[in-house]
Amino acid sequence: MINLARSLKADIYTGFIDKEKTFDTSGIKVFNFNIRGPQLYRNIRISKKFAKFNFPRYDAYIFSGVWCISAAEKCKPNMLYLHTPMRALYDLKDHFLKKSNPASRLALKKFASYWTPKDKMYMSKFDWVAANSDNVRKRVMKYYGKPLYDKTSVVYTGIETKKYRYVRSGDFYLSAARLDPLKRIDMIIRAFKKTSDRKLIIVGSGSEEGKLKKLAKGCMNIEFLGSVSDAKLLELYSTCKATVAANVDEDLGLIAIESHASGK
């Protein structure tokens, strides 16, 4: 979205931004509501802020994400770049319920009951939806119905393939997914714990970082690099033996695309 805003000379409105983990926004007017707090509480507050905020008049409005869509009705004409319908409300609802403790399970059920009709109402206010893959467009049909499906086109996320390169087939495997339960990095770690002669390098950060490091403790063949620069990630792609991923029903799968662009 930052590249799009720069190309269109557009302003960006966001509920929360972490400058240390965000791409360069120089030259772009960024209006940050700076809403903080626990993730779910923060996101609900962001949604309410977008619903109430009096946005300036623009020629068009482009949305990205699921918490800003509450402003769709009053910001017209509009379009949404949809990465996926909120998975905790739809296709992975049972997954999250099973992984939750009793208190969290009750909270999630209440949240889903409260938020699902709101989500469907907000989504119905878009003039056009760009899904990032055919898989995501199918989810639109399943969870929002044919009227929105008919207004949805697939617009694949582009990558700059020319900046990727093959250097060599090195001595390590690479996991580049976010450290999130749905990426199932724990499954990858357990596989590499069974062999000491195959090295695994894990890059990225996320909510599972502490848990995963604890799982891999004592394994000399598993290394965590944390968040790395774009240049470092390109180097790792270009010199690894292969990439490893175990994502749950991936929306698009950028890692596979980036791996292929690197000859892996």
Side-chain angles (χ1 to χ4, degrees):
M1 294 303 292
I2 290 173
N3 290 336
L4 185 61
R6 184 171 282 116
S7 298
L8 297 176
K9 296 180 173 58
D11 301 334
I12 291 179
Y13 290 80
T14 181
F16 174 78
I17 188 170
D18 186 337
K19 292 288 187 180
E20 295 181 357
K21 298 180 180 179
T22 302
F23 294 106
D24 177 24
T25 59
S26 58
I28 303 173
K29 288 184 180 179
V30 178
F31 299 86
N32 178 19
F33 295 130
N34 198 29
I35 297 173
R36 297 178 179 270
Q39 186 175 15
L40 184 57
Y41 172 73
R42 181 190 74 207
N43 290 341
I44 291 175
R45 287 185 62 207
I46 289 172
S47 180
K48 290 180 178 179
K49 182 70 174 181
F50 270 82
K52 294 178 180 178
F53 188 74
N54 186 24
F55 289 90
R57 181 63 191 166
Y58 293 96
D59 294 331
Y61 301 83
I62 300 174
F63 290 70
S64 177
V66 296
W67 298 106
C68 60
I69 63 175
S70 54
E73 186 171 15
K74 62 184 177 182
C75 295
K76 296 276 191 173
N78 63 40
M79 66 155 284
L80 168 67
Y81 191 78
L82 181 63
H83 303 280
T84 180
M86 195 183 303
R87 305 193 73 181
L89 297 182
Y90 301 108
D91 63 313
L92 291 179
K93 181 179 177 180
D94 289 342
H95 166 83
F96 284 107
L97 287 173
K98 288 177 181 177
K99 289 181 69 70
S100 301
N101 59 44
S104 297
R105 192 176 303 121
L106 179 61
L108 179 56
K109 285 181 178 180
K110 287 186 175 181
F111 168 72
S113 177
Y114 168 72
W115 205 259
T116 301
K118 284 182 173 291
D119 178 70
K120 291 186 176 184
M121 184 269 290
Y122 294 146
M123 288 293 293
S124 70
K125 305 301 180 182
F126 282 102
D127 301 319
W128 183 54
V129 175
N132 74 354
S133 69
D134 189 56
N135 196 25
V136 170
R137 187 171 186 242
K138 289 175 180 176
R139 291 178 192 162
V140 171
M141 179 66 177
K142 184 173 182 178
Y143 302 115
Y144 298 122
K146 196 171 186 303
L148 191 63
Y149 178 82
D150 289 341
K151 293 191 290 184
T152 301
S153 302
V154 176
V155 179
Y156 292 109
T157 300
I159 69 165
E160 298 177 57
T161 55
K162 290 182 179 179
K163 72 180 183 181
Y164 294 85
R165 66 195 187 282
Y166 174 88
V167 174
R168 64 178 179 273
S169 181
D171 63 350
F172 68 94
Y173 294 83
L174 176 66
S175 169
R178 186 175 68 255
L179 307 188
D180 177 275
L182 296 179
K183 305 302 181 181
R184 296 194 291 197
I185 310 296
D186 59 330
M187 180 185 295
I188 297 172
I189 289 173
R190 288 189 179 93
F192 278 82
K193 286 179 72 171
K194 295 179 179 180
T195 174
S196 60
D197 61 343
R198 294 180 182 178
K199 183 178 180 181
L200 171 67
I201 290 181
I202 299 173
V203 300
S205 59
S207 61
E208 294 276 283
E209 186 168 353
K211 176 182 175 182
L212 295 172
K213 285 183 175 179
K214 185 176 180 180
L215 178 63
K217 188 176 181 179
C219 297
M220 303 304 294
N221 62 320
I222 300 176
E223 181 180 2
F224 288 82
L225 296 185
S227 297
V228 298
S229 66
D230 287 349
K232 180 62 176 177
L233 184 58
L234 289 172
E235 177 194 332
L236 291 167
Y237 269 126
S238 69
T239 58
C240 69
K241 185 177 184 68
T243 55
V244 187
N247 307 345
V248 177
D249 191 19
E250 187 63 277
D251 310 326
L252 172 64
L254 275 177
I255 290 175
I257 299 172
E258 292 167 349
S259 299
H260 291 172
S262 306
K264 303 298 170 66

mmCIF file of all heavy atoms in Angstrom, residues 1-13 17 19 22-30 62 160 230:
data_model
loop_
_atom_site.group_PDB
_atom_site.id
_atom_site.type_symbol
_atom_site.label_atom_id
_atom_site.label_comp_id
_atom_site.label_asym_id
_atom_site.label_seq_id
_atom_site.Cartn_x
_atom_site.Cartn_y
_atom_site.Cartn_z
ATOM 1 N N MET A 1 0.823 -1.202 0.000
ATOM 2 C CA MET A 1 0.000 0.000 0.000
ATOM 3 C C MET A 1 0.860 1.255 0.000
ATOM 4 O O MET A 1 0.471 2.284 -0.535
ATOM 5 C CB MET A 1 -0.935 -0.004 1.211
ATOM 6 C CG MET A 1 -1.980 -1.109 1.180
ATOM 7 S SD MET A 1 -3.017 -1.076 -0.318
ATOM 8 C CE MET A 1 -3.960 0.425 -0.071
ATOM 9 N N ILE A 2 2.036 1.182 0.609
ATOM 10 C CA ILE A 2 2.931 2.333 0.621
ATOM 11 C C ILE A 2 3.401 2.643 -0.794
ATOM 12 O O ILE A 2 3.432 3.809 -1.218
ATOM 13 C CB ILE A 2 4.119 2.081 1.574
ATOM 14 C CG1 ILE A 2 3.620 2.097 3.029
ATOM 15 C CG2 ILE A 2 5.203 3.130 1.386
ATOM 16 C CD1 ILE A 2 4.651 1.697 4.046
ATOM 17 N N ASN A 3 3.768 1.609 -1.553
ATOM 18 C CA ASN A 3 4.172 1.821 -2.941
ATOM 19 C C ASN A 3 3.029 2.390 -3.764
ATOM 20 O O ASN A 3 3.227 3.263 -4.620
ATOM 21 C CB ASN A 3 4.653 0.507 -3.560
ATOM 22 C CG ASN A 3 5.984 0.059 -2.987
ATOM 23 O OD1 ASN A 3 6.761 0.869 -2.494
ATOM 24 N ND2 ASN A 3 6.246 -1.239 -3.041
ATOM 25 N N LEU A 4 1.810 1.909 -3.506
ATOM 26 C CA LEU A 4 0.634 2.400 -4.226
ATOM 27 C C LEU A 4 0.383 3.867 -3.894
ATOM 28 O O LEU A 4 0.111 4.686 -4.782
ATOM 29 C CB LEU A 4 -0.589 1.549 -3.862
ATOM 30 C CG LEU A 4 -1.886 1.846 -4.624
ATOM 31 C CD1 LEU A 4 -1.703 1.615 -6.115
ATOM 32 C CD2 LEU A 4 -3.015 0.970 -4.092
ATOM 33 N N ALA A 5 0.480 4.200 -2.609
ATOM 34 C CA ALA A 5 0.276 5.589 -2.190
ATOM 35 C C ALA A 5 1.318 6.505 -2.817
ATOM 36 O O ALA A 5 1.000 7.620 -3.267
ATOM 37 C CB ALA A 5 0.336 5.686 -0.671
ATOM 38 N N ARG A 6 2.550 6.035 -2.883
ATOM 39 C CA ARG A 6 3.606 6.854 -3.488
ATOM 40 C C ARG A 6 3.353 7.046 -4.982
ATOM 41 O O ARG A 6 3.531 8.146 -5.518
ATOM 42 C CB ARG A 6 4.961 6.192 -3.235
ATOM 43 C CG ARG A 6 6.133 7.007 -3.729
ATOM 44 C CD ARG A 6 7.474 6.449 -3.271
ATOM 45 N NE ARG A 6 7.743 6.808 -1.875
ATOM 46 C CZ ARG A 6 7.846 5.927 -0.885
ATOM 47 N NH1 ARG A 6 7.696 4.630 -1.130
ATOM 48 N NH2 ARG A 6 8.098 6.323 0.343
ATOM 49 N N SER A 7 2.907 5.994 -5.656
ATOM 50 C CA SER A 7 2.642 6.081 -7.097
ATOM 51 C C SER A 7 1.481 7.027 -7.407
ATOM 52 O O SER A 7 1.509 7.753 -8.400
ATOM 53 C CB SER A 7 2.333 4.692 -7.662
ATOM 54 O OG SER A 7 3.428 3.819 -7.500
ATOM 55 N N LEU A 8 0.456 6.994 -6.554
ATOM 56 C CA LEU A 8 -0.750 7.802 -6.787
ATOM 57 C C LEU A 8 -0.700 9.166 -6.103
ATOM 58 O O LEU A 8 -1.658 9.934 -6.204
ATOM 59 C CB LEU A 8 -1.983 7.037 -6.282
ATOM 60 C CG LEU A 8 -2.300 5.713 -6.966
ATOM 61 C CD1 LEU A 8 -3.474 5.024 -6.292
ATOM 62 C CD2 LEU A 8 -2.581 5.921 -8.447
ATOM 63 N N LYS A 9 0.421 9.426 -5.390
ATOM 64 C CA LYS A 9 0.538 10.661 -4.609
ATOM 65 C C LYS A 9 -0.647 10.785 -3.642
ATOM 66 O O LYS A 9 -1.278 11.842 -3.507
ATOM 67 C CB LYS A 9 0.635 11.888 -5.520
ATOM 68 C CG LYS A 9 1.888 11.897 -6.399
ATOM 69 C CD LYS A 9 1.941 13.127 -7.287
ATOM 70 C CE LYS A 9 3.275 13.215 -8.019
ATOM 71 N NZ LYS A 9 3.567 12.045 -8.852
ATOM 72 N N ALA A 10 -0.937 9.668 -2.979
ATOM 73 C CA ALA A 10 -2.096 9.582 -2.086
ATOM 74 C C ALA A 10 -1.671 9.690 -0.628
ATOM 75 O O ALA A 10 -0.515 9.458 -0.272
ATOM 76 C CB ALA A 10 -2.825 8.255 -2.318
ATOM 77 N N ASP A 11 -2.625 10.059 0.217
ATOM 78 C CA ASP A 11 -2.414 10.086 1.663
ATOM 79 C C ASP A 11 -2.771 8.720 2.247
ATOM 80 O O ASP A 11 -3.568 7.970 1.669
ATOM 81 C CB ASP A 11 -3.283 11.157 2.320
ATOM 82 C CG ASP A 11 -3.009 12.549 1.783
ATOM 83 O OD1 ASP A 11 -1.875 12.791 1.310
ATOM 84 O OD2 ASP A 11 -3.925 13.398 1.834
ATOM 85 N N ILE A 12 -2.202 8.408 3.396
ATOM 86 C CA ILE A 12 -2.504 7.157 4.095
ATOM 87 C C ILE A 12 -3.096 7.471 5.459
ATOM 88 O O ILE A 12 -2.578 8.318 6.196
ATOM 89 C CB ILE A 12 -1.233 6.290 4.266
ATOM 90 C CG1 ILE A 12 -0.763 5.742 2.918
ATOM 91 C CG2 ILE A 12 -1.492 5.128 5.229
ATOM 92 C CD1 ILE A 12 0.513 4.904 3.009
ATOM 93 N N TYR A 13 -4.179 6.768 5.792
ATOM 94 C CA TYR A 13 -4.774 6.849 7.127
ATOM 95 C C TYR A 13 -4.654 5.464 7.751
ATOM 96 O O TYR A 13 -5.076 4.470 7.150
ATOM 97 C CB TYR A 13 -6.249 7.258 7.045
ATOM 98 C CG TYR A 13 -6.446 8.694 6.621
ATOM 99 C CD1 TYR A 13 -6.363 9.061 5.283
ATOM 100 C CD2 TYR A 13 -6.706 9.689 7.566
ATOM 101 C CE1 TYR A 13 -6.524 10.379 4.885
ATOM 102 C CE2 TYR A 13 -6.873 11.015 7.176
ATOM 103 C CZ TYR A 13 -6.781 11.354 5.833
ATOM 104 O OH TYR A 13 -6.944 12.664 5.440
ATOM 105 N N ILE A 17 0.763 2.282 13.603
ATOM 106 C CA ILE A 17 1.937 2.033 12.782
ATOM 107 C C ILE A 17 3.154 1.875 13.686
ATOM 108 O O ILE A 17 3.329 2.621 14.654
ATOM 109 C CB ILE A 17 2.151 3.179 11.755
ATOM 110 C CG1 ILE A 17 3.271 2.826 10.771
ATOM 111 C CG2 ILE A 17 2.428 4.500 12.443
ATOM 112 C CD1 ILE A 17 3.364 3.799 9.603
ATOM 113 N N LYS A 19 6.911 2.217 13.365
ATOM 114 C CA LYS A 19 7.893 2.774 12.430
ATOM 115 C C LYS A 19 9.063 1.833 12.194
ATOM 116 O O LYS A 19 9.631 1.783 11.102
ATOM 117 C CB LYS A 19 8.410 4.112 12.967
ATOM 118 C CG LYS A 19 7.374 5.234 12.988
ATOM 119 C CD LYS A 19 7.059 5.736 11.595
ATOM 120 C CE LYS A 19 6.164 6.959 11.643
ATOM 121 N NZ LYS A 19 5.840 7.460 10.286
ATOM 122 N N THR A 22 8.004 -0.943 9.569
ATOM 123 C CA THR A 22 7.246 -0.482 8.408
ATOM 124 C C THR A 22 8.196 -0.023 7.309
ATOM 125 O O THR A 22 9.286 0.488 7.587
ATOM 126 C CB THR A 22 6.309 0.677 8.809
ATOM 127 O OG1 THR A 22 5.447 0.218 9.844
ATOM 128 C CG2 THR A 22 5.466 1.130 7.644
ATOM 129 N N PHE A 23 7.788 -0.188 6.077
ATOM 130 C CA PHE A 23 8.581 0.283 4.953
ATOM 131 C C PHE A 23 8.726 1.800 5.003
ATOM 132 O O PHE A 23 7.979 2.493 5.684
ATOM 133 C CB PHE A 23 7.915 -0.132 3.634
ATOM 134 C CG PHE A 23 7.882 -1.611 3.407
ATOM 135 C CD1 PHE A 23 6.690 -2.320 3.538
ATOM 136 C CD2 PHE A 23 9.031 -2.303 3.062
ATOM 137 C CE1 PHE A 23 6.657 -3.682 3.329
ATOM 138 C CE2 PHE A 23 9.005 -3.669 2.851
ATOM 139 C CZ PHE A 23 7.812 -4.364 2.992
ATOM 140 N N ASP A 24 9.665 2.311 4.258
ATOM 141 C CA ASP A 24 9.949 3.745 4.218
ATOM 142 C C ASP A 24 8.717 4.523 3.742
ATOM 143 O O ASP A 24 8.179 4.267 2.664
ATOM 144 C CB ASP A 24 11.124 3.984 3.268
ATOM 145 C CG ASP A 24 11.452 5.455 3.096
ATOM 146 O OD1 ASP A 24 11.126 6.244 4.009
ATOM 147 O OD2 ASP A 24 12.026 5.806 2.055
ATOM 148 N N THR A 25 8.260 5.468 4.540
ATOM 149 C CA THR A 25 7.080 6.275 4.198
ATOM 150 C C THR A 25 7.453 7.711 3.851
ATOM 151 O O THR A 25 6.584 8.580 3.807
ATOM 152 C CB THR A 25 6.073 6.288 5.362
ATOM 153 O OG1 THR A 25 6.716 6.823 6.536
ATOM 154 C CG2 THR A 25 5.549 4.893 5.659
ATOM 155 N N SER A 26 8.722 7.962 3.601
ATOM 156 C CA SER A 26 9.152 9.322 3.286
ATOM 157 C C SER A 26 8.437 9.831 2.037
ATOM 158 O O SER A 26 8.257 9.115 1.058
ATOM 159 C CB SER A 26 10.664 9.363 3.069
ATOM 160 O OG SER A 26 11.054 8.492 2.029
ATOM 161 N N GLY A 27 8.008 11.079 2.096
ATOM 162 C CA GLY A 27 7.313 11.686 0.964
ATOM 163 C C GLY A 27 5.820 11.415 0.925
ATOM 164 O O GLY A 27 5.126 11.894 0.029
ATOM 165 N N ILE A 28 5.308 10.639 1.893
ATOM 166 C CA ILE A 28 3.879 10.313 1.945
ATOM 167 C C ILE A 28 3.284 10.910 3.215
ATOM 168 O O ILE A 28 3.861 10.804 4.293
ATOM 169 C CB ILE A 28 3.658 8.780 1.956
ATOM 170 C CG1 ILE A 28 4.305 8.135 0.733
ATOM 171 C CG2 ILE A 28 2.167 8.450 2.012
ATOM 172 C CD1 ILE A 28 4.276 6.613 0.776
ATOM 173 N N LYS A 29 2.121 11.532 3.076
ATOM 174 C CA LYS A 29 1.416 12.032 4.256
ATOM 175 C C LYS A 29 0.727 10.862 4.944
ATOM 176 O O LYS A 29 -0.158 10.224 4.370
ATOM 177 C CB LYS A 29 0.370 13.079 3.861
ATOM 178 C CG LYS A 29 0.956 14.410 3.420
ATOM 179 C CD LYS A 29 -0.160 15.410 3.134
ATOM 180 C CE LYS A 29 0.413 16.753 2.697
ATOM 181 N NZ LYS A 29 -0.670 17.737 2.401
ATOM 182 N N VAL A 30 1.171 10.556 6.156
ATOM 183 C CA VAL A 30 0.605 9.442 6.913
ATOM 184 C C VAL A 30 -0.108 10.001 8.137
ATOM 185 O O VAL A 30 0.508 10.654 8.975
ATOM 186 C CB VAL A 30 1.691 8.446 7.352
ATOM 187 C CG1 VAL A 30 1.073 7.317 8.171
ATOM 188 C CG2 VAL A 30 2.427 7.883 6.138
ATOM 189 N N ILE A 62 -9.058 3.815 -1.330
ATOM 190 C CA ILE A 62 -8.591 2.437 -1.432
ATOM 191 C C ILE A 62 -8.351 1.921 -0.017
ATOM 192 O O ILE A 62 -7.588 2.520 0.745
ATOM 193 C CB ILE A 62 -7.309 2.339 -2.271
ATOM 194 C CG1 ILE A 62 -7.558 2.871 -3.684
ATOM 195 C CG2 ILE A 62 -6.815 0.891 -2.332
ATOM 196 C CD1 ILE A 62 -6.303 2.935 -4.543
ATOM 197 N N GLU A 160 8.897 -7.778 -7.123
ATOM 198 C CA GLU A 160 9.925 -7.336 -8.061
ATOM 199 C C GLU A 160 10.878 -8.505 -8.309
ATOM 200 O O GLU A 160 11.907 -8.637 -7.649
ATOM 201 C CB GLU A 160 10.667 -6.133 -7.501
ATOM 202 C CG GLU A 160 9.777 -4.918 -7.267
ATOM 203 C CD GLU A 160 10.557 -3.772 -6.637
ATOM 204 O OE1 GLU A 160 11.577 -3.347 -7.231
ATOM 205 O OE2 GLU A 160 10.156 -3.315 -5.558
ATOM 206 N N ASP A 230 15.637 -6.196 4.083
ATOM 207 C CA ASP A 230 15.307 -6.749 2.768
ATOM 208 C C ASP A 230 16.553 -7.334 2.105
ATOM 209 O O ASP A 230 16.501 -8.397 1.479
ATOM 210 C CB ASP A 230 14.709 -5.663 1.867
ATOM 211 C CG ASP A 230 13.289 -5.298 2.261
ATOM 212 O OD1 ASP A 230 12.694 -6.018 3.091
ATOM 213 O OD2 ASP A 230 12.761 -4.299 1.739
#
